[in-house]
């Protein structure tokens, strides 16, 4: 009997163990399933969020054009709507119990279905430029405002809902932010790499609608999970799993959150602008810093961060100092080396600032408010870059300002809170400034630079450049390295470097500089003073020789021995009454092919460029060659559309030299517009001298699609003598309905007929793919 009882006990014990194990397995599976549902919901919302912005941007471009008012309005619209979404989430979390939250949000989730799929609203024709901003805001609101708003509410709201479950991680739901940033990054990378090359805008909108429906179902599952696992009395107001009654959010803490979010946002946009204009105008390069920005959030908000903050804090000064010096002194180098320096420093700073945010995150009861202030910081950085900096600065000063801001926000490695230490943090950089300024004054008064030039330098400019390196970078950098443990002292010293860079030390070859929403425009004289160059970022848009006997000879991409000279000297009937349209003014070099009785009209989007071309102290092409030319300000396609049909004999498109390719000027619909504006026998001419985009292939397919004949000449043989006369390598495409309209161009050396490639899709207003035609150079 005892033996039987022992056997029965063993069996019962085994059964109990089995039941307990099965219960644990079920609980574990349920726990993992709950996390997966919430993470997938947040991931999907972020993915949709980063798909809708470029999609809507492409949709409105042919309608509203590419003016800065359109660009900044679109960017700020999405930022304001994102803030509104975060504000709604916070209001919902603190004002309503979870049942009412679910009811209200269920209604909100259904509303966008009334306007989806996203599409251009027919009958909304843009007004004159005077009312374009308000009209565009209303247009975007009606077109995509509601879907974008609803999707933007998800990350903070769903994390808040997760905090109400009985999951073991519910007291700290911030790890779900990882899913949000991974979704954003994947959406960011998927659009140019996978979606844009294969789908037109109509198909993209249908895909986004399907994604939105799936997203709504995921939100419903999240609400159901809360209903099944929420352990508290449902009638009680919202509280956190942890006791947060003692936690108080001070305004000092909130302001710090804003700054820690604003600095990486500013740095991301600043390094993007700087790198794609000053270093390499490569399309889609903006994807790299934005992806790093998102990955930094994903890394630091993980439950177990991969990189200790102390390591990042110690490494930052020794990465930031050489970068700051290179920016202030205009240094260069190999592309990949510069990319590692600029993007690596940004990633380190983003990890550092966002790591401080993650380390200072409040309890779950303040989650939605925390994300609101983080969003305010991100929007502040975007507003500063998009609106304030172009209006306030003449150069990309926001870039070094972002570096200095990160230096000041670093946590201190040496604690000191007494007033004496704080006074020293301010006094020591001030003493360094006084010392350097006194030294510069002494060098100037005693004429040491001139004597140094006669002894060891080839020119006074060389001696000045040497002193500039010492004063702006070398001496402050050495001193800064000793201050790395004190963020205020280190940050103020780096700020001193920026201020010293503004002093007129060294060679001053820039004779004009102005910034607007399109970039930094400079006119520089070469070291010999024999020519002026118009430079936008790293691209030269025009050259004029200063010799009065040579100044009206077309230079750069328009040299007489190049493709442009071929066309204007072609054997064909030349009519002195030609009507010529040029989209893209530059310095006005092309106008020196004009004949006295011809009518020339320039279409230029940038008023600063117009001012430069009209200023005879900078360039005289307009004054000397086309003094009676009309200049029409605005987007080239939209303004040309207002011209009478069949009114031009030649239309020249010269607007493709920068990093942001105006796709809407290259589509099939754009080509059809140009043909409509041509008289019988008219010709289209395109400057495709872009090192990083294969524009010729785009135009070949477009020309074939509307039965135009196209010829290409790429002129890469520039002799030293021609280079001295300002000639550049260039590529040009000519199009006409009949090859005979091109004179003897088809028979001239170097001109080749272009055939459309069946494997290369025709670009339309609905479909374009910049990535396919992008090359690294």
């Amino acid at each position: 009997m005892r033996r039987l009882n022992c056997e029965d006990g063993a069996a019962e014990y085994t059964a109990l163990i089995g039941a307990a194990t099965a219960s644990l397995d079920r609980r574990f599976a349920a726990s993992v399933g709950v996390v997966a549902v919430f993470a997938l919901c947040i991931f999907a919302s972020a993915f949709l969020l980063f798909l809708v912005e470029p999609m809507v941007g492409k949709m409105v471009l042919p309608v509203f054009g590419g003016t800065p008012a359109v660009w900044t309005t679109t960017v700020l619209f999405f930022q304001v709507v994102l803030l509104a979404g975060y504000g709604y989430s916070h209001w919902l979390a603190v004002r309503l119990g979870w049942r009412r939250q679910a009811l209200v949000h269920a209604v909100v989730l259904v509303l966008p279905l009334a306007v989806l799929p996203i599409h251009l609203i027919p009958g909304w024709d843009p007004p004159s430029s005077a009312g374009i901003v308000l009209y565009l805001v209303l247009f975007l609101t009606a077109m995509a405002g509601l879907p974008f708003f609803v999707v933007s509410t998800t990350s903070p709201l769903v994390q808040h809902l997760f905090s109400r479950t009985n999951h073991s991680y519910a007291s700290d739901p911030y790890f779900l932010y990882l899913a949000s940033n991974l979704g954003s990054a994947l959406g960011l990378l998927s659009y140019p790499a996978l979606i844009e090359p294969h789908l037109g805008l109509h198909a993209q909108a249908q895909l986004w609608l399907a994604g939105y429906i799936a997203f709504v179902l995921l939100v419903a599952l999240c609400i159901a999970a809360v209903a099944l696992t929420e352990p508290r009395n449902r009638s009680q107001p919202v509280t956190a799993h942890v006791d947060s009654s003692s936690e108080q959010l001070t305004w000092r803490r909130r302001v710090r959150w804003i700054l820690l979010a604003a600095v990486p946002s500013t740095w991301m946009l600043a390094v993007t602008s700087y790198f794609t204009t000053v270093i390499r105008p490569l399309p889609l390069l903006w994807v790299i810093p934005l992806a790093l920005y998102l990955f930094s959030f994903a890394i630091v908000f993980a439950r177990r961060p991969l990189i200790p903050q102390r390591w990042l804090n110690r490494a930052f000064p020794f990465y930031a100092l050489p970068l700051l010096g290179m920016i202030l002194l205009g240094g260069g180098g190999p592309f990949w080396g510069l990319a590692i320096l600029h993007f690596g420093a940004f990633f380190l700073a983003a990890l550092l600032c966002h790591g401080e945010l993650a380390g200072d995150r409040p309890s779950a009861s303040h989650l939605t408010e925390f994300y609101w202030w983080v969003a305010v910081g991100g929007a502040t950085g975007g507003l500063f870059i998009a609106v304030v900096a172009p209006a306030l600065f003449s150069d990309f000063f926001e870039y070094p300002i972002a570096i200095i801001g990160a230096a000041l926000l670093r946590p201190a490695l040496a604690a000191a809170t007494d007033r004496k230490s704080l006074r020293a943090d301010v006094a020591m950089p001030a003493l360094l400034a006084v010392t350097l300024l006194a030294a510069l004054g002494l060098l100037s008064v005693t004429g040491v630079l001139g004597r140094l030039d006669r002894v060891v330098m080839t020119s006074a400019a060389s001696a000045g450049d040497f002193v500039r390196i010492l004063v702006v970078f070398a001496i402050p950098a050495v001193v800064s390295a000793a201050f790395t443990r004190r963020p205020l002292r280190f940050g103020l010293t780096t700020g001193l470097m920026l201020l010293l860079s503004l002093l007129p030390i060294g060679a001053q070859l820039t004779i004009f500089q102005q910034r607007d929403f399109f970039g930094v425009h400079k006119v520089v004289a070469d070291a010999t003073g024999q020519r002026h160059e118009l430079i936008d970022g790293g691209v030269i848009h025009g050259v004029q020789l200063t010799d009065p006997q040579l100044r009206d000879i077309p230079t750069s991409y328009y040299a007489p021995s190049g493709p442009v000279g071929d066309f204007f000297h072609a054997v064909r009937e030349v009519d002195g009454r030609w009507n010529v349209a040029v989209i893209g003014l530059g310095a006005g070099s092309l106008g020196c092919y004009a004949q006295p009785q011809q009518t020339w009209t320039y279409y230029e989007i940038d008023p600063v460029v117009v001012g430069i071309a009209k200023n005879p102290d900078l360039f005289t092409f307009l004054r000397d060659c086309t003094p009676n030319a009309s200049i029409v300000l605005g987007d080239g396609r939209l303004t040309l559309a207002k011209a009478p049909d069949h009114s031009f004999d030649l239309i020249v498109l010269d607007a493709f030299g920068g990093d942001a390719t105006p796709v809407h000027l290259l589509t099939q619909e754009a080509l059809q517009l140009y043909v409509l504006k041509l008289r019988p026998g008219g010709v289209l001419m395109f400057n495709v001298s872009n090192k990083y985009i294969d524009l010729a292939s785009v135009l070949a397919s477009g020309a074939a699609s509307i039965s135009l004949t196209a010829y290409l000449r790429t002129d890469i043989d520039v002799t030293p003598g021609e280079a001295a006369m300002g000639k550049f390598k260039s590529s040009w495409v000519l199009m006409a309905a009949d090859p005979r309209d091109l004179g003897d161009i088809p028979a001239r050396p170097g001109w080749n007929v272009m055939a459309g490639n069946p494997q290369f899709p025709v670009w339309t207003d609905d479909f374009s793919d910049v990535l396919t035609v992008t090359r690294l150079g």
Side-chain angles (χ1 to χ4, degrees):
M1 179 68 84
R2 181 177 298 176
R3 182 179 178 181
L4 181 60
N5 289 338
C6 289
E7 290 177 352
D8 290 344
E12 291 178 5
Y13 180 76
T14 302
L16 287 172
I17 293 296
T21 302
S23 177
L24 287 174
D25 288 344
R26 286 193 299 271
R27 289 181 182 180
F28 177 77
S31 175
V32 172
V34 168
V35 172
V37 168
F38 280 86
L40 187 58
C41 180
I42 292 173
F43 178 92
S45 69
F47 186 85
L48 291 173
L49 209 60
F50 270 76
L51 287 186
V52 73
E53 293 187 50
M55 182 175 71
V56 170
K58 286 188 67 173
M59 286 181 176
V60 302
L61 185 62
V63 179
F64 289 88
T67 63
V70 172
W71 182 79
T72 54
T73 302
T74 304
V75 170
L76 292 177
F77 170 81
F78 283 120
Q79 289 178 337
V80 170
V81 175
L82 181 67
L83 276 177
Y86 275 40
Y88 160 84
S89 298
H90 179 54
W91 174 85
L92 210 62
V94 300
R95 295 294 183 182
L96 301 179
W98 88 269
R99 284 181 175 275
R100 290 186 178 180
Q101 290 176 27
L103 180 62
V104 171
H105 198 58
V107 174
V108 171
L109 284 169
V110 174
L111 292 178
L113 296 176
V115 298
L116 291 175
I118 296 172
H119 60 281
L120 288 175
I121 303 174
W124 283 48
D125 298 323
S128 63
S129 58
I132 191 71
V133 172
L134 178 60
Y135 187 87
L136 180 57
V137 169
L138 296 174
F139 187 88
L140 291 172
T141 301
M143 176 184 176
L146 189 55
F148 188 88
F149 168 80
V150 174
V151 174
S152 69
T153 66
T154 302
S155 182
L157 188 58
V158 170
Q159 289 181 58
H160 165 75
L161 289 174
F162 180 78
S163 72
R164 295 190 57 88
T165 67
N166 62 359
H167 196 280
S168 58
Y169 293 164
S171 62
D172 186 18
Y174 290 95
F175 72 94
L176 289 172
Y177 201 34
L178 169 69
S180 175
N181 287 283
L182 289 179
S184 300
L186 186 60
L188 168 73
L189 298 173
S190 296
Y191 189 82
L194 299 176
I195 295 175
E196 189 179 37
H198 300 100
L199 298 175
L201 289 173
H202 178 74
Q204 291 175 28
Q206 295 293 334
L207 179 65
W208 201 91
L209 171 59
Y212 183 82
I213 293 173
F215 155 72
V216 171
L217 295 176
L218 287 170
V219 176
L221 287 176
C222 291
I223 294 175
V226 176
L228 293 174
T229 63
E230 205 264 345
R232 287 156 291 184
N233 187 334
R234 307 275 170 81
S235 64
Q236 296 299 315
V238 178
T239 58
H241 273 281
V242 296
D243 180 13
S244 59
S245 58
S246 61
E247 184 179 26
Q248 298 295 326
L249 299 186
T250 64
W251 279 106
R252 181 176 181 179
R253 192 177 180 189
R254 293 183 178 105
V255 170
R256 186 169 183 269
W257 289 343
I258 294 174
L259 293 175
L260 286 170
V263 167
S265 173
T266 301
W267 194 328
M268 175 194 67
L269 297 170
V271 70
T272 302
S273 297
Y274 183 89
F275 205 93
T276 55
T277 54
V278 176
I279 296 177
R280 181 160 295 191
L282 191 64
L284 301 178
L285 202 62
W286 55 268
V287 170
I288 297 175
L290 184 51
L292 293 175
Y293 176 82
L294 295 171
F295 283 131
S296 70
F297 271 119
I299 291 171
V300 300
F301 276 90
R303 288 191 63 83
R304 296 179 180 84
L306 299 176
I307 307 172
Q309 281 291 103
R310 179 170 288 271
W311 293 5
L312 298 171
N313 197 6
R314 290 183 180 276
F316 175 80
F318 302 101
Y319 212 154
L321 281 174
L323 173 64
L324 184 60
M326 183 165 288
I327 295 169
L328 298 179
L329 296 174
F335 170 76
W336 291 111
L338 293 174
I340 292 172
L341 177 63
H342 285 268
F343 298 144
F346 162 67
F347 189 47
L348 191 153
L351 287 171
L352 182 60
C353 292
H354 291 158
E356 289 298 302
L357 271 176
D360 191 36
R361 63 185 183 270
S363 62
S365 62
H366 298 293
L367 179 146
T368 52
E369 182 181 359
F370 171 74
Y371 282 127
W372 159 258
W373 292 118
V374 170
V376 168
T380 300
L383 181 68
F384 178 66
I385 293 296
V387 178
V388 177
L392 192 62
F393 302 139
S394 63
D395 211 332
F396 292 107
F397 293 126
E398 64 269 26
Y399 193 4
I401 287 174
I403 298 173
I404 295 165
L408 290 169
L409 287 173
R410 291 171 55 234
L413 294 172
T417 58
D418 57 284
R419 292 185 178 181
K420 183 177 180 181
S421 298
L422 293 176
R423 284 196 296 266
D425 287 342
V426 176
M428 295 184 74
L431 179 61
L432 175 62
V434 171
T435 303
L436 291 174
L437 290 174
L440 284 175
L442 185 63
L443 289 174
S444 177
V445 170
T446 59
V448 171
L449 286 181
R451 291 196 295 272
L452 182 61
D453 165 54
R454 291 190 293 271
V455 175
V456 297
M457 298 291 181
T458 59
S459 69
S462 299
D465 288 341
F466 177 73
V467 172
R468 181 176 178 82
I469 294 172
L470 285 176
V471 171
V472 173
F473 174 65
I475 296 174
V478 171
V479 175
S480 295
F483 294 162
T484 56
R485 296 177 63 84
R486 304 298 303 268
L488 180 59
R489 194 177 301 179
F490 176 77
L492 290 178
T493 307
T494 57
L496 174 63
M497 294 169 64
L498 172 60
L499 295 177
L500 291 171
S501 70
L502 303 179
L503 296 176
I505 312 169
Q508 301 295 312
L509 300 179
T510 301
I511 57 179
F512 174 88
Q513 180 168 321
Q514 186 172 342
R515 181 177 178 181
D516 63 3
F517 291 99
F518 291 97
V520 177
H521 308 284
K522 297 181 181 180
V523 179
V524 302
D526 67 348
T528 62
Q530 295 181 356
R531 66 185 191 182
H532 289 175
E533 297 179 350
L534 172 60
I535 301 176
D536 183 358
V539 179
I540 300 176
H541 289 279
V543 175
Q544 184 172 33
L545 304 176
T546 56
D547 186 333
Q549 302 299 318
L550 304 174
R551 68 186 184 192
D552 291 339
I553 297 176
T555 55
S556 62
Y557 313 103
Y558 321 98
S561 61
V564 175
D566 279 355
F567 173 75
F568 282 99
H569 298 145
V571 178
R572 58 169 295 178
E573 181 180 354
V574 177
D575 189 342
R577 295 170 296 176
W578 265 13
N579 196 2
V580 179
V582 182
I583 296 180
L585 173 59
S589 310
L590 189 66
C592 286
Y593 287 102
Q595 297 185 19
Q597 300 303 315
Q598 291 177 351
T599 301
W600 283 57
T601 303
Y602 294 99
Y603 294 88
E604 175 56 50
I605 197 171
D606 192 341
V608 173
V609 171
V610 174
I612 291 172
K614 284 184 172 181
N615 187 344
D617 294 329
L618 304 176
F619 297 98
T620 62
F621 289 127
L622 279 183
R623 185 194 66 185
D624 296 346
C625 303
T626 53
N628 299 317
S630 300
I631 299 178
V632 181
L633 272 174
D635 178 84
R637 177 171 165 179
L638 297 183
T639 51
L640 183 67
K642 299 175 182 178
D645 295 344
H646 312 298
S647 57
F648 295 108
D649 300 279
L650 172 66
I651 298 177
V652 182
L653 287 105
D654 186 17
F656 310 113
D659 63 307
T661 305
V663 171
H664 67 301
L665 299 183
L666 294 165
T667 63
Q668 185 182 68
E669 292 85 349
L671 294 178
Q672 291 170 337
L673 171 68
Y674 307 149
V675 171
L676 180 65
K677 301 303 174 181
L678 285 177
R679 292 171 179 167
V683 176
L684 301 178
M685 176 183 287
F686 298 83
N687 184 357
V688 295
S689 309
N690 192 305
K691 186 178 180 181
Y692 307 111
I693 309 174
D694 181 15
L695 298 172
S697 296
V698 177
L699 291 173
S701 296
S705 71
I706 59 173
S707 302
L708 293 180
T709 299
Y711 283 83
L712 167 70
R713 181 188 169 192
T714 299
D715 182 19
I716 60 174
D717 297 322
V718 180
T719 67
E722 290 174 329
M725 292 293 292
K727 180 182 178 181
F728 292 171
K729 298 176 182 179
S730 65
S731 296
W732 288 81
V733 170
L734 294 174
M735 292 184 192
D738 190 327
R740 290 173 294 183
D741 296 331
L742 301 176
D744 66 345
I745 285 292
R748 289 200 172 214
W751 287 95
N752 299 298
V753 67
M754 302 172 65
N757 186 350
Q759 303 300 320
F760 192 91
V762 177
W763 283 15
T764 65
D765 288 347
D766 184 71
F767 172 85
S768 60
D769 176 20
V770 176
L771 187 61
T772 301
V773 294
T774 298
R775 50 199 177 198
L776 293 179

